[in-house]
Amino acid sequence: MIHANTNSQFDTDVLNDQVKNDAILRATVLIEDSFNFRSIFHKVGRLPLIVYRTYYSKPIQRFLYVNIFVIMTLAFFETPSSLSYSSDITKPKSYLIKYEFPCGILEMIDIFCLLLFFLDVVVKSYLVGRKQVIKSPWLVSYYAIIFVSLVDCIVSLSFKCQETVRIRRYLRPFFLVQCSSLMKKTIKSLKRSLPQIISVFVLLLIHLYLFSVIGMLIFPRYYAQYAHNSTKNAYYTKNPNDSFPIIDDKVYVKNEAFSSIKNSLINLLVLITTSNNPDVTIQSYSENRLAALYYVIFLLIGMYSLMSLFIAVIYNQFKGFFQDSMMSSVFRQSLAVRAAFWVLFERFNTPRGKATICRTPMIYVIKNLSVSKKRKEYLIKKLDDASCGPGINENPEVEFLIDMDLFEKMFLDHLNEDIADEYEDLLNSNSYERRNSSIVAMNNLRRNLKNFFLSKLYLFLSSIITIINIGCITGELHLMENLDDNGTNKPLSLLIFLFSILYMAEHVLKLWALNTKRYLTNYLNLLDGFISIAFFVTQVVQLAVYKRTYMSNEEMKNYNYSTNIWGISRVINMLLIFRLIHLAPSVKVMYAVVSTAIDIFRSLKPLFGIMASVYYIYALIGIQLFSEKIRTDSFDYYNKSILNEYCGTYKQLSFWVNNFNDFYSALIVLWNLMVVNDWFVIVEAYVDVTSDWSRLYFYFWWALCPVIMLNMCVSLILDLFLLKWEKTTEVKTSSYSIKTPLIKSIHRLFSDAKWKPDETKINGELIKHSYLDFNRMIHSFSHEDSD
């Protein structure tokens, strides 16, 4: 850091110089690109930057997300509509009546959303320039998909919404994927792993075919059943589809599992998912116990080896996915901050010939950032501490010059720090106390309460109270199961009511003691407080309506779980079990596990987005192929006596609700297929009403979702946990406390490693910028450093 004399007219000169104002605006936008992990390769003129900041403002971005949500949810309302009470085709017609929107309403909403997307892509194209648009396949595809979708909407209106295929519905997931760079990166990584995945699938097919042939060779085609078994004999003789020879008082039953190559492959494929285990093995095993060895060897190789190999292959591809993503994000941050420094240096350089800038333009940049006021005050306080200069509200006689290292420390370290605790220290510091003495002044009771709420004693006491509260609810439920004991839940209900008052008093005192800002910066406090308020309100409502907090035995016998206020209050009360999460920061191992579990939904958003897109497209294909294919009379060609004997069919299990008659039902069917429990029942039902080619739809879904997508999810969770565990092991267990942030982003974790990108790579990327010329400055100061 270098000192230089300045005059008091510096601020006025900056405000009156349009060129310097533009430089401050460019630097501000580049710093915002840094903490939002955005690319800096966009136009840097004054008007484009104003458009750029407006476009990436929170209201505009949230509006775009709402637009994506609206256009994606149209599938629930379009024909066939999902607006009915049930999808079970055996229900009365009143349950199956679907509300269909008049033609044109949903199409106009669709067109409106598409026009907003068109405006979105036009603005993006304007900001990055024509050359970047041509080089970007995503932007080119964006234009093409909007055009095709608009044409398809016009076709729908022309045919009065009676067309059978709507192409635009299959293209909608693109709008979800294109809004996230991490989704694009995930798709790219998955694309790179396809050759290895296909190789494992080939091995799996060889394994299935080999054991199918071996099974047909070692197991007989017929098994002998003695005719004195009257029940089985009646079944076999009445079967209209198969003939079973009777020789020497024996009924020879066909071996259905290995009756043909096709049946063998199908049964073994289902067996590898364990859905028909041990059903498919019983017939062979009952004849010869050595047959069990065949199935054991098959599952050991297939399920426990080859299926595990899928996880290994996918994990190998995605190993380090988060670390690579964080390195890429840190590189983008460093690139943007370095670019901001050179932009300021170009207009605010010092006559000493060194790479330094004045403090004043940096203050202007901080003030103009689109961050919270607290964050700005924190950065200015850090800048004051670093320069040891006077406060920003005073007129300095000495201007402190800031070099590149301090500039990067300010915007790479301090801008990303968790400042909930540091801000409290800031309130108590001398420089801040002089300006905000009224905030710091608190009585002894408030200070003692604050220390208590931040202590481990409070943490363990609140956990014990929560456990006792949950035990009371368990006792109430036990009494509901033993109504004949003439027991009453009055004491427990009164105790639970007192707990609701205690929770409310706790949060009122905590809000007063910790002050509003500190209380609201803790997400767990907000969750805990919201649940406590809801619990207290339901208890008060119950007391006002029923004049008591408990239920009589007669009321409990006629208890309606879905509408009773008592049940609602108990459900909300059970959510307070999340208070135990506060214990996590006190134990390092628990901290790593719980924080990973909490961070899964945030860190795996790209994968969840891709899975949602796959579900969306596959459900639409299912509707196109199988809608209305299953009816209540679809399986009446079977003999009723056989249906009564043969367990496990679609009809016998009453799987009527599992159909593709609307979008919602299709999604649920795909979910049930992904879980793979009894999935073959659904497959066989649709094969019966269509053809064997229908198996391809279901088998491709099994390969795509349960095998590939879920293994991707497992791999990414494993990678996330290992990365978090690696970072947490770098910190001593004793340093974990209730002040340790539990919800700590993966970006924040990785920045603790102090990894710095290569200087040559940063300079090389800066030189590539189409709208900023960094070449002269970079080469000039690089030459000085080498000397």
Side-chain angles (χ1 to χ4, degrees):
M1 190 158 42
I2 303 170
H3 295 201
N5 292 327
T6 60
N7 54 60
S8 61
Q9 297 296 321
F10 189 87
D11 292 0
T12 306
D13 293 341
V14 171
L15 294 174
N16 294 333
D17 192 335
Q18 187 63 42
V19 176
K20 291 185 177 180
N21 279 334
D22 290 346
I24 290 175
L25 177 61
R26 290 193 191 101
T28 302
V29 172
L30 289 170
I31 296 299
E32 290 174 352
D33 288 341
S34 170
F35 64 76
N36 287 306
F37 309 103
R38 295 195 297 255
S39 172
I40 67 170
F41 294 98
H42 52 75
K43 293 180 180 179
V44 292
R46 184 170 187 81
L47 179 59
L49 287 180
I50 294 174
V51 175
Y52 184 86
R53 295 191 79 187
T54 305
Y55 174 77
Y56 282 106
S57 62
K58 287 184 178 180
I60 297 297
Q61 291 300 305
R62 287 172 181 171
F63 182 74
L64 288 174
Y65 293 144
V66 170
N67 193 44
I68 294 173
F69 175 78
V70 170
I71 199 170
M72 293 286 286
T73 53
L74 286 178
F76 291 99
F77 308 104
E78 294 172 332
T79 304
S81 172
S82 301
L83 301 179
S84 64
Y85 285 106
S86 175
S87 59
D88 188 346
I89 59 177
T90 62
K91 294 287 185 181
K93 288 185 178 180
S94 59
Y95 283 80
L96 303 177
I97 295 175
K98 298 180 179 180
Y99 177 79
E100 299 285 352
F101 284 87
C103 179
I105 295 180
L106 296 179
E107 284 71 21
M108 294 307 297
I109 295 175
D110 204 346
I111 291 174
F112 177 74
C113 292
L114 290 171
L115 291 177
L116 290 178
F117 285 129
F118 180 73
L119 180 62
D120 174 48
V121 71
V122 167
V123 172
K124 283 183 177 179
S125 303
Y126 168 72
L127 294 176
V128 300
R130 186 177 60 182
K131 292 182 180 179
Q132 292 292 332
V133 172
I134 296 174
K135 293 178 182 178
S136 173
W138 286 97
L139 288 178
V140 174
S141 301
Y142 205 170
Y143 278 108
I145 287 175
I146 292 174
F147 175 76
V148 172
S149 299
L150 285 172
V151 171
D152 192 58
C153 284
I154 296 172
V155 172
S156 295
L157 293 173
S158 302
F159 282 89
K160 297 182 179 180
C161 308
Q162 297 300 317
E163 78 282 10
T164 56
V165 179
R166 298 174 185 176
I167 300 174
R168 66 183 182 277
R169 301 177 72 181
Y170 300 93
L171 302 179
R172 287 172 185 164
F174 175 85
F175 302 125
L176 176 63
V177 174
Q178 65 83 28
C179 72
S180 171
S181 59
L182 281 178
M183 283 193 202
K184 300 173 187 176
K185 184 174 181 179
T186 305
I187 292 175
K188 188 176 180 180
S189 299
L190 180 60
K191 184 179 177 181
R192 287 200 304 263
S193 63
L194 279 180
Q196 296 94 328
I197 293 175
I198 293 174
S199 301
V200 181
F201 269 118
V202 171
L203 289 176
L204 182 62
L205 288 175
I206 293 173
H207 172 68
L208 289 173
Y209 182 77
L210 176 63
F211 273 80
S212 297
V213 174
I214 293 175
M216 293 186 67
L217 293 175
I218 65 175
F219 296 126
R221 295 192 63 188
Y222 289 92
Y223 289 106
Q225 299 286 347
Y226 289 98
H228 63 77
N229 190 334
S230 58
T231 303
K232 293 183 178 180
N233 192 38
Y235 168 71
Y236 299 140
T237 55
K238 290 180 181 179
N239 194 326
N241 300 320
D242 294 293
S243 59
F244 300 96
I246 301 178
I247 303 174
D248 297 332
D249 293 331
K250 293 180 181 179
V251 177
Y252 285 85
V253 185
K254 182 183 290 186
N255 184 354
E256 294 293 340
F258 297 97
S259 59
S260 65
I261 286 290
K262 185 189 77 170
N263 287 346
S264 301
L265 287 170
I266 291 171
N267 281 291
L268 291 182
L269 175 61
V270 177
L271 179 60
I272 212 169
T273 66
T274 69
S275 294
N276 60 351
N277 184 61
D279 303 9
V280 75
T281 68
I282 294 300
Q283 194 176 32
S284 303
Y285 182 52
S286 63
E287 291 295 323
N288 191 333
R289 64 175 59 203
L290 292 178
L293 296 178
Y294 167 86
Y295 296 105
V296 169
I297 296 172
F298 171 78
L299 289 176
L300 282 175
I301 298 175
M303 187 178 70
Y304 294 109
S305 298
L306 292 179
M307 297 304 292
S308 300
L309 194 58
F310 278 109
I311 299 179
V313 168
I314 295 174
Y315 177 71
N316 181 63
Q317 179 61 46
F318 285 89
K319 181 177 61 178
F321 177 82
F322 288 107
Q323 182 164 325
D324 292 342
S325 298
M326 295 313 104
M327 291 175 68
S328 176
S329 298
V330 171
F331 179 79
R332 280 192 173 189
Q333 280 190 315
S334 301
L335 186 67
V337 171
R338 183 68 59 85
F341 178 84
W342 289 123
V343 165
L344 291 177
F345 173 78
E346 185 178 12
R347 298 301 176 189
F348 300 96
N349 54 25
T350 57
R352 294 172 176 264
K354 294 186 177 294
T356 56
I357 60 172
C358 302
R359 176 179 176 273
T360 304
M362 191 167 174
I363 295 293
Y364 278 115
V365 170
I366 294 174
K367 287 182 176 180
N368 290 333
L369 288 175
S370 299
V371 294
S372 64
K373 182 180 178 182
K374 180 177 69 174
R375 179 73 64 175
K376 294 177 183 179
E377 293 173 350
Y378 178 73
L379 289 174
I380 293 173
K381 176 63 171 59
K382 286 293 184 180
L383 185 61
D384 287 345
D385 293 343
S387 61
C388 300
I392 62 172
N393 294 328
E394 301 178 14
N395 294 322
E397 297 181 357
V398 177
E399 183 75 16
F400 291 90
L401 303 183
I402 299 168
D403 58 14
M404 188 182 297
D405 291 336
L406 179 58
F407 188 87
E408 292 183 347
K409 183 178 181 180
M410 286 295 302
F411 292 115
L412 289 179
D413 295 341
H414 299 322
L415 188 59
N416 296 309
E417 284 178 347
D418 298 314
I419 62 173
D421 292 336
E422 291 84 347
Y423 195 63
E424 290 298 318
D425 297 334
L426 178 64
L427 291 176
N428 295 326
S429 64
N430 293 330
S431 62
Y432 199 90
E433 184 176 355
R434 287 196 300 268
R435 299 192 298 272
N436 300 274
S437 58
S438 60
I439 299 177
V440 183
M442 60 177 62
N443 54 38
N444 293 331
L445 176 61
R446 182 174 181 177
R447 185 178 295 107
N448 292 335
L449 281 174
K450 172 186 167 184
N451 294 332
F452 172 70
F453 285 128
L454 295 177
S455 66
K456 288 188 176 181
L457 176 62
Y458 163 75
L459 178 67
F460 289 106
L461 283 177
S462 63
S463 300
I464 292 172
I465 292 173
T466 303
I467 293 172
I468 296 174
N469 184 191
I470 295 171
C472 291
I473 298 177
T474 305
E476 277 191 317
L477 295 175
H478 177 72
L479 289 177
M480 291 180 66
E481 297 176 358
N482 300 274
L483 297 180
D484 295 336
D485 297 339
N486 297 320
T488 175
N489 61 353
K490 183 177 179 179
L492 292 177
S493 296
L494 290 175
L495 186 58
I496 292 174
F497 181 74
L498 293 177
F499 278 125
S500 68
I501 298 175
L502 177 63
Y503 294 143
M504 278 300 301
E506 172 196 354
H507 282 279
V508 169
L509 290 175
K510 185 184 289 188
L511 185 64
W512 176 67
L514 299 181
N515 74 55
T516 306
K517 289 184 177 180
R518 179 159 191 159
Y519 181 89
L520 296 179
T521 53
N522 191 313
Y523 293 105
L524 293 179
N525 276 343
L526 291 177
L527 176 64
D528 192 6
F530 177 78
I531 297 174
S532 299
I533 292 173
F535 178 41
F536 179 75
V537 169
T538 54
Q539 287 285 291
V540 172
V541 170
Q542 182 183 356
L543 184 63
V545 173
Y546 298 105
K547 310 302 181 183
R548 60 180 185 272
T549 60
Y550 61 92
M551 294 177 63
S552 65
N553 287 354
E554 187 65 27
E555 289 173 328
M556 295 176 77
K557 290 178 181 178
N558 302 318
Y559 176 59
N560 187 340
Y561 288 87
S562 60
T563 59
N564 194 283
I565 299 175
W566 181 88
I568 295 173
S569 68
R570 294 306 183 266
V571 171
I572 296 174
N573 193 184
M574 284 301 299
L575 296 178
L576 287 171
I577 196 172
F578 290 109
R579 289 165 60 94
L580 300 178
I581 294 177
H582 287 284
L583 286 169
S586 301
V587 184
K588 183 178 67 173
V589 177
M590 188 177 177
Y591 173 82
V593 174
V594 176
S595 63
T596 302
I598 293 175
D599 208 29
I600 281 174
F601 297 100
R602 180 170 51 185
S603 299
L604 298 186
K605 281 190 295 186
L607 180 59
F608 294 152
I610 294 172
M611 290 185 69
S613 301
V614 173
Y615 262 89
Y616 196 94
I617 296 174
Y618 227 84
L620 293 174
I621 296 174
I623 293 173
Q624 197 70 39
L625 295 176
F626 306 116
S627 180
E628 305 295 341
K629 293 294 184 181
I630 289 184
R631 300 182 298 273
T632 54
D633 60 347
S634 294
F635 309 103
D636 285 350
Y637 60 86
Y638 289 122
N639 186 293
K640 291 185 178 180
S641 63
I642 297 174
L643 286 173
N644 292 331
E645 294 281 345
Y646 182 50
C647 180
T649 62
Y650 187 93
K651 184 175 182 178
Q652 191 272 334
L653 293 173
S654 297
F655 271 25
W656 303 108
V657 73
N658 289 312
N659 56 62
F660 290 90
N661 294 346
D662 57 69
F663 187 71
Y664 183 86
S665 299
L667 291 176
I668 300 302
V669 171
L670 292 179
W671 173 266
N672 293 334
L673 292 170
M674 185 186 73
V675 177
V676 301
N677 185 37
D678 285 340
W679 71 292
F680 62 94
V681 176
I682 301 174
V683 175
E684 294 302 325
Y686 278 96
V687 168
D688 286 341
V689 298
T690 54
S691 68
D692 272 333
W693 290 104
S694 301
R695 296 184 188 276
L696 295 178
Y697 174 86
F698 297 100
Y699 292 164
F700 272 118
W701 175 252
W702 170 77
L704 183 62
C705 199
V707 175
I708 297 178
M709 301 300 295
L710 291 187
N711 282 332
M712 279 179 59
C713 189
V714 171
S715 301
L716 291 175
I717 291 174
L718 181 60
D719 188 44
L720 175 64
F721 175 78
L722 292 177
L723 180 59
K724 283 211 165 191
W725 179 255
E726 179 184 351
K727 299 306 175 185
T728 53
T729 52
E730 295 174 0
V731 185
K732 293 182 179 179
T733 307
S734 59
S735 66
Y736 282 83
S737 67
I738 60 174
K739 297 182 180 181
T740 306
L742 186 62
I743 305 177
K744 199 173 186 182
S745 70
I746 192 69
H747 294 92
R748 181 74 180 87
L749 270 175
F750 190 75
S751 64
D752 294 340
K754 305 301 180 185
W755 176 82
K756 294 192 68 175
D758 183 64
E759 292 286 331
T760 305
K761 189 176 179 181
I762 290 179
N763 293 336
E765 287 295 314
L766 288 176
I767 293 173
K768 294 178 183 178
H769 203 291
S770 303
Y771 302 101
L772 290 171
D773 183 14
F774 297 110
N775 195 14
R776 178 181 56 81
M777 291 178 289
I778 289 175
H779 283 84
S780 174
F781 286 96
S782 297
H783 180 70
E784 288 183 7
D785 293 341
S786 62
D787 291 343

